[in-house]
């Protein structure tokens, strides 16, 4: 697709983000299963529910724009998910694996924070106020998740892995 306008770029990046979220929705149950800490499992399960809702939010946005969500696979998420799968395939001490799972998840959240921050700015610039609000809701969920993972890493999980 030719990118002639900022609107074209917005749609292209929304498609990438839709691909990203659907991949994350598939990966989170595996990460919850691989986690040992009950708090970490709970954090992944909570974010799975949020992620499913984020997918729906994006579908609402595509409807409002009259565009299809399909057509741009997110290769960055593919890579990040693959790294997580590699980690889960290792023989690892449970606490060490938890520390690794947090790191893998935070890489995904940081990618999402960058994506949604950009998308919200472009939507605002283009006058799509409602769409920008939806994108900011998701952005806040990603930030809150990232902070919750940092808190888990700093509390007991990292000290247990030492
Ligand atoms: Fe997300
Ligand atoms: Fe991407
Ligand atoms: Fe997320």
């Amino acid at each position: 697709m030719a990118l002639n306008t900022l609107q074209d770029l917005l749609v292209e990046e929304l498609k990438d983000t839709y691909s990203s979220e659907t991949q994350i929705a598939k990966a989170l149950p595996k990460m919850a299963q691989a986690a040992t800490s009950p708090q970490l499992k709970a954090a992944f399960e909570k974010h799975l529910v949020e992620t499913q809702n984020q997918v729906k939010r994006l579908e609402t946005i595509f409807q409002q724009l009259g565009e299809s969500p399909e057509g741009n696979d997110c290769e960055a998420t593919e890579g990040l998910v693959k790294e997580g799968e590699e980690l889960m395939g290792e023989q690892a001490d449970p606490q060490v694996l938890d520390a690794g799972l947090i790191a893998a998840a935070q890489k995904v959240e940081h990618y999402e924070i960058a994506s949604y921050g950009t998308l919200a700015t472009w939507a605002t610039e283009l006058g799509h106020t409602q769409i920008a609000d939806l994108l900011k809701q998701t952005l806040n969920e990603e930030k809150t998740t990232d902070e919750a993972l940092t808190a888990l890493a700093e509390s007991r999980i990292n000290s247990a892995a030492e």
Side-chain angles (χ1 to χ4, degrees):
M1 153 178 197
L3 302 174
N4 295 317
T5 63
L6 188 61
Q7 173 84 14
D8 295 340
L9 189 60
L10 173 73
V11 171
E12 203 60 11
E13 284 299 310
L14 282 167
K15 286 172 188 272
D16 180 276
T17 303
Y18 185 77
S19 161
S20 175
E21 292 289 13
T22 54
Q23 292 182 61
I24 295 163
K26 280 187 205 149
L28 278 169
K30 296 178 205 166
M31 293 175 77
Q33 215 192 341
T36 299
S37 150
Q39 295 100 311
L40 184 56
K41 262 185 200 293
F44 286 149
E45 278 159 11
K46 180 181 181 219
H47 199 47
L48 171 62
V49 175
E50 286 174 338
T51 300
Q52 288 162 342
N53 192 41
Q54 291 168 0
V55 169
K56 291 198 189 116
R57 224 174 254 149
L58 285 170
E59 284 167 354
T60 302
I61 291 171
F62 281 107
Q63 266 181 354
Q64 290 185 9
L65 292 170
E67 299 280 350
S68 155
E70 308 295 337
N72 189 9
D73 292 339
C74 180
E75 279 136 344
T77 302
E78 262 172 47
L80 291 170
V81 167
K82 203 170 163 191
E83 286 188 4
E85 279 169 358
E86 275 172 22
L87 175 75
M88 289 186 278
E90 302 278 354
Q91 278 297 112
D93 170 271
Q95 265 95 35
V96 174
L97 180 63
D98 278 359
L101 287 170
I102 291 174
Q106 286 195 282
K107 287 183 189 182
V108 173
E109 295 316 313
H110 283 228
Y111 180 74
E112 292 189 285
I113 289 165
S115 301
Y116 280 103
T118 299
L119 287 168
T121 300
W122 289 346
T124 302
E125 198 176 329
L126 290 162
H128 301 307
T129 313
Q130 269 184 298
I131 290 171
D133 284 347
L134 290 171
L135 293 167
K136 281 183 218 161
Q137 281 175 38
T138 297
L139 176 61
N140 285 332
E141 288 171 359
E142 312 298 17
K143 284 181 179 170
T144 304
T145 301
D146 180 52
E147 282 160 17
L149 290 169
T150 296
L152 278 176
E154 287 177 353
S155 62
R156 40 193 300 280
I157 292 177
N158 276 356
S159 60
E162 275 164 16

